[in-house]
C-alpha cells in the first residue's frame, strides 16, 4: 500500500454539556453577499444523533443575491467533535454491504465512463460501500472521514483511511476521482471543499457529488405535506438547488458533465463534474 498524504494535526476535545451557540454567518457562505434573511426554522431534536449540546431549533436563511439557502451558523470544532462521537448503525463500515453494492455499482459505472482507473478518494465514506465497489472496477480506494471510529473501522477492513478534513490534505494531483457523496451540505463553506478537491485531483479527474435537491418537485411535495426531513437535518448547513450547485462548481474549476436522480436518499441529486 502506498504512503498516504500529509495531514494537519488534530487536537482532543472535552465533552460539552449544554447547548452551544452556532458560529453565525454574517453573509452568504457561497457568494459573500450580506443581504440575507430568515426563511424558516426546523426542529433537529428528533434526529437520531441529536445531543443537547446543540439547540433544538435550526434557523434557515436565504441569500437575496444568489438564492442559496443555509443555516444561520455552523458548529464549533468542540460541538462537531461531540456530534461525531456517535454514528448511525447504517453508516458504519461494512453495514449493509450486499444491498448497498448495487446502488454503488451504478454510481461507479457512470464515473468510470469518464475516468477508468486511478486513486479514488471517498470523503465522508460512511459504510464504505462506494469504495468497496470502486475497488471492483480496479480503482485504488482511499477514505476520509471526520468520525474517528469510522476511519478506524475502514482501516480494519484493509482500506487506507484518515480521520481529517478534506482541506487538510496535502497531496496535489494525487487522485483521479474524489467522491463527495452527501458531503458538501455538511461543510460550513462548501467552496473551500471544492477548491481542495480541485487541488487534489489530477488533470481531467472528476468529482462525484450528491446531496438533497432544494428546487425539485419532490422537495416541494414533501414541504406541502409537512413531511420534509431536511429542515431538521442536524448536520446539514446548506440546501442546494441544481443551478446553484453548478454555479459553485464552475466557480471552482469544474465542468458539470452529468446529472442524475440519487438512489441513496430521498429528494437527492447526483452530479459528475470534471476538473478543468
Amino acid at each position: 500500500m502506498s504512503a498516504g498524504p500529509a495531514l494537519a494535526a488534530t487536537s482532543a476535545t472535552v465533552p460539552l454539556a449544554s447547548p452551544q451557540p452556532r458560529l453565525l454567518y454574517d453573509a452568504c457562505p457561497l457568494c459573500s453577499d450580506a443581504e440575507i434573511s430568515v426563511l424558516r426554522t426546523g426542529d433537529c431534536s428528533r434526529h437520531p444523533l441529536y445531543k443537547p449540546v446543540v439547540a433544538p431549533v435550526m434557523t434557515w436563511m436565504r441569500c437575496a443575491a444568489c438564492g442559496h439557502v443555509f443555516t444561520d451558523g455552523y458548529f464549533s470544532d468542540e460541538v462537531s467533535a461531540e456530534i461525531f462521537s456517535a454514528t448511525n448503525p447504517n453508516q458504519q463500515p461494512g453495514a449493509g454491504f450486499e444491498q448497498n453494492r448495487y446502488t454503488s455499482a451504478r454510481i461507479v459505472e457512470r464515473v468510470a465512463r469518464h475516468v477508468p482507473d486511478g486513486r479514488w478518494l471517498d470523503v465522508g465514506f460512511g459504510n464504505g460501500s462506494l469504495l468497496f465497489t470502486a475497488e471492483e472496477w480496479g480503482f485504488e480506494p482511499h477514505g476520509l472521514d471526520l468520525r474517528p471510529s469510522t476511519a478506524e473501522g475502514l482501516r480494519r477492513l484493509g482500506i487506507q483511511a484518515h480521520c481529517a478534513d478534506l482541506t487538510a490534505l496535502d497531496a496535489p494531483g494525487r487522485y483521479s476521482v474524489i467522491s463527495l457523496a452527501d458531503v458538501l451540505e455538511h461543510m460550513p463553506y462548501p467552496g473551500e471543499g471544492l477548491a481542495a478537491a480541485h487541488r487534489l485531483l489530477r488533470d481531467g479527474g472528476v468529482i462525484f457529488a450528491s446531496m438533497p435537491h432544494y428546487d425539485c418537485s419532490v422537495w416541494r411535495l414533501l414541504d406541502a405535506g409537512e413531511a420534509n426531513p431536511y429542515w431538521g437535518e442536524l448536520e446539514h448547513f446548506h440546501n442546494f438547488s441544481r443551478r446553484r450547485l453548478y454555479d459553485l462548481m464552475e466557480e471552482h474549476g469544474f465542468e458539470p458533465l452529468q446529472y442524475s436522480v440519487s438512489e441513496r436518499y430521498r429528494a437527492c441529486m447526483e452530479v459528475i463534474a470534471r476538473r478543468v
Side-chain angles (χ1 to χ4, degrees), residues 200-224:
L200 294 165
L201 280 172
R202 67 168 175 78
D203 289 344
V206 302
I207 56 172
F208 167 84
S210 62
M211 67 198 66
H213 186 182
Y214 170 71
D215 188 24
C216 71
S217 296
V218 174
W219 184 285
R220 290 189 286 271
L221 287 167
L222 288 170
D223 272 353

Side-chain angles (χ1 to χ4, degrees), residues 47-204:
H47 190 281
L49 297 182
Y50 177 78
K51 294 188 177 184
V53 69
V54 176
V57 176
M58 302 170 64
T59 301
W60 290 91
M61 314 294 289
R62 189 201 297 273
C63 174
C66 74
H68 186 56
V69 173
F70 54 97
T71 54
D72 63 348
Y74 54 97
F75 302 140
S76 66
D77 290 342
E78 293 77 15
V79 171
S80 293
E82 187 80 1
I83 293 171
F84 295 155
S85 66
T87 309
N88 285 318
N90 67 331
Q91 294 176 325
Q92 293 283 0
F97 62 95
E98 283 194 275
Q99 306 94 305
N100 290 320
R101 179 171 176 255
Y102 299 105
T103 300
S104 295
R106 287 186 281 273
I107 294 171
V108 176
E109 185 177 18
R110 294 200 308 272
V111 170
R113 294 171 191 166
H114 303 284
V115 177
D117 53 29
R119 296 187 182 95
W120 183 311
L121 176 67
D122 190 15
V123 182
F125 53 80
N127 58 38
S129 174
L130 199 52
L131 287 178
F132 301 148
T133 312
E135 189 175 32
E136 292 190 54
W137 260 255
F139 289 96
E140 180 184 329
H142 295 249
L144 195 68
D145 202 282
L146 293 176
R147 284 177 160 82
S149 62
T150 304
E152 176 58 30
L154 193 64
R155 286 194 293 269
R156 285 198 298 268
L157 294 172
I159 293 180
Q160 185 177 138
H162 298 284
C163 180
D165 189 279
L166 177 64
T167 60
L169 265 66
D170 183 17
R174 179 178 176 82
Y175 302 102
S176 297
V177 178
I178 296 179
S179 46
L180 301 160
D182 306 288
V183 165
L184 287 175
E185 68 272 28
H186 293 249
M187 294 181 168
Y189 293 93
E192 294 179 357
L194 288 174
H198 191 276
R199 173 174 52 82
L200 294 165
L201 280 172
R202 67 168 175 78
D203 289 344

Side-chain angles (χ1 to χ4, degrees), residues 4-23:
L7 298 168
T10 57
S11 58
T13 58
V14 296
L16 302 171
S18 58
Q20 303 294 305
R22 291 179 181 241
L23 305 177

